[in-house]
Amino acid sequence: MRRIVVLSGGIGGARFLRGLLRAAPEAEVTVIGNTGDDIHLFGLKVCPDLDTVMYTLGGGIHEEQGWGRADESFSVKEELAAYGVGPEWFGLGDRDFATHIVRTQMMGAGYPLSAVTEALCQRWNPGVRLLPMTDDRVETHVLVDDEREGRRAVHFQEYWVRMRAGVPARAVVPVGADQSKPAPGVLEAIAEADVVIFPPSNPVVSVGTILAVPGIREAIADAGVPVVGLSPIVGDAPVRGMADKVLAAVGVEATASAVALHYGSGLLDAWLVDTVDAASVAGVEAAGIRCRAVPLLMKDTEATAEMARAALTIATEVDDV
Ligand code: GDP
Ligand code: CA
């Protein structure tokens, strides 16, 4: 299992990757990052999930918060607010701003996001090859019933950060996905992989969005290599965040087994659930997905490395049959 492909969102994916790199230091890891959360703010292109992976693996992340830079200050944001320029609900710190300025400047000069991401990673040395899922613009929108304004679509970040997923999501739409193409290197990495891993990332707005880029789901299903997932749902609730809200929008229960069945045996060969969800193993296996219960809380890098080892072990088992 030398060549590993991971489909990643932000915090859950990034933390898992840190454990994976400890568990498999010799591996060549390619990360296909979600860009459906990307947003333009203050004229700048912000890619929260790519940056979370880059900062986490590069040692620049705010550890407790899980996103944004360590040792951050907010002078620019305060100055913007003094001009009455928002949005005030999205926290962009001074150090983080620099990343978005560099990205926006390079894109303005004509570089695609994949090339820009590679350039940013030259500073951070994340130890993985970080690819955006696409160079095309895809924006996840959430359809909500607003008390005052009725049914309307809002940008995912507005739903998640400003509204804190406080109203039910009726639908989640990756706008632009159907017209998008996988970024250079994405399909090649999948075709050459020894294993594809779905980390404990959001199944709808992280992994689901990546799979919505035409060609990616098919490439994974056709690659003929083990596809292994780790449940982001532990004890019938997301470990962190509000994934249950967007799962409800796609009609999936917030349980470890429902998420496995949502991906389905056509895509997934093996699935890891937490030990508290051991009772769901039989049901997942009955659906044709090899399943095992192991501790899935990413308490520290070593606990996370154990999760990665379990994923690679079960991948080897399904590879043999
Ligand atoms: P985001 O883009 O920052 O929301 O991050 P991801 O999509 O990569 O990951 C979010 C998911 O990670 C959430 O659904 C959480 O339940 C899950 N998660 C966070 N910490 C843990 C953990 O320690 N264990 C497991 N199993 N899942 C986790
Ligand atoms: Ca995200």
Side-chain angles (χ1 to χ4, degrees):
M1 303 268 157
R2 209 174 61 79
R3 284 171 296 196
I4 303 175
V5 167
V6 180
L7 270 49
S8 179
I11 301 178
R15 289 191 171 160
F16 174 77
L17 284 162
R18 197 150 56 178
L20 178 65
L21 290 179
R22 174 173 300 188
E26 307 295 316
E28 266 175 45
V29 180
T30 301
V31 177
I32 303 174
N34 171 43
T35 58
D37 295 13
D38 294 6
I39 185 165
H40 283 80
L41 295 169
F42 314 108
L44 301 174
K45 180 162 173 82
V46 180
C47 301
D49 286 359
L50 294 179
D51 289 349
T52 296
V53 171
M54 187 171 80
Y55 294 156
T56 301
L57 300 182
I61 199 76
H62 186 303
E63 285 292 341
E64 296 73 42
Q65 192 170 258
W67 54 270
R69 292 288 310 276
D71 303 317
E72 190 56 290
S73 54
F74 290 87
S75 300
V76 175
K77 190 175 185 239
E78 284 158 23
E79 289 296 316
L80 287 163
Y83 286 109
V85 174
E88 74 300 326
W89 48 265
F90 201 90
L92 285 186
D94 300 331
R95 292 178 188 273
D96 201 17
F97 257 113
T99 304
H100 314 314
I101 291 170
V102 174
R103 173 185 292 123
T104 308
Q105 192 172 27
M106 285 189 73
M107 292 186 76
Y111 290 96
L113 181 61
S114 50
V116 175
T117 304
E118 193 179 340
L120 294 171
C121 284
Q122 273 170 16
R123 169 182 174 192
W124 291 103
N125 286 311
V128 300
R129 184 164 175 235
L130 178 60
L131 304 174
M133 63 187 199
T134 180
D135 278 334
D136 300 319
R137 187 163 168 171
V138 175
E139 256 183 31
T140 302
H141 287 192
V142 180
L143 198 63
V144 295
D145 284 321
D146 197 291
E147 276 186 9
R148 278 179 309 165
E149 296 170 61
R151 183 158 290 198
R152 66 186 181 116
V154 296
H155 190 288
F156 171 72
Q157 297 296 354
E158 187 176 353
Y159 180 69
W160 209 247
V161 182
R162 186 178 76 79
M163 305 170 85
R164 298 191 184 283
V167 296
R170 301 298 176 197
V172 178
V173 186
V175 177
D178 50 354
Q179 305 293 323
S180 70
K181 291 184 299 297
V186 166
L187 296 182
E188 293 80 354
I190 295 169
E192 291 166 6
D194 298 316
V195 57
V196 176
I197 300 180
F198 298 174
S201 278
N202 190 305
V204 181
V205 294
S206 293
V207 180
T209 308
I210 300 169
L211 293 171
V213 175
I216 293 186
R217 175 188 288 273
E218 297 75 4
I220 293 171
D222 295 348
V225 298
V227 180
V228 180
L230 298 94
S231 179
I233 304 292
V234 170
D236 300 343
V239 176
R240 202 192 141 116
M242 307 151 291
D244 48 323
K245 298 297 191 309
V246 286
L247 280 166
V250 296
V252 177
E253 252 183 87
T255 65
S257 57
V259 173
L261 302 191
H262 171 62
Y263 286 130
S265 62
L267 195 58
L268 212 53
D269 298 300
W271 184 245
L272 296 178
V273 301
D274 188 82
T275 43
V276 301
D277 297 312
S280 63
V281 168
V284 174
E285 294 219 315
I289 300 165
R290 175 80 64 103
C291 186
R292 183 163 302 146
V294 297
L296 286 190
L297 290 182
M298 299 190 279
K299 290 195 289 271
D300 50 40
T301 307
E302 191 43 39
T304 313
E306 265 311 297
M307 289 165 52
R309 289 183 195 108
L312 295 172
T313 302
I314 203 167
T316 310
E317 291 170 19
V318 292
D319 208 17
D320 289 343
V321 294

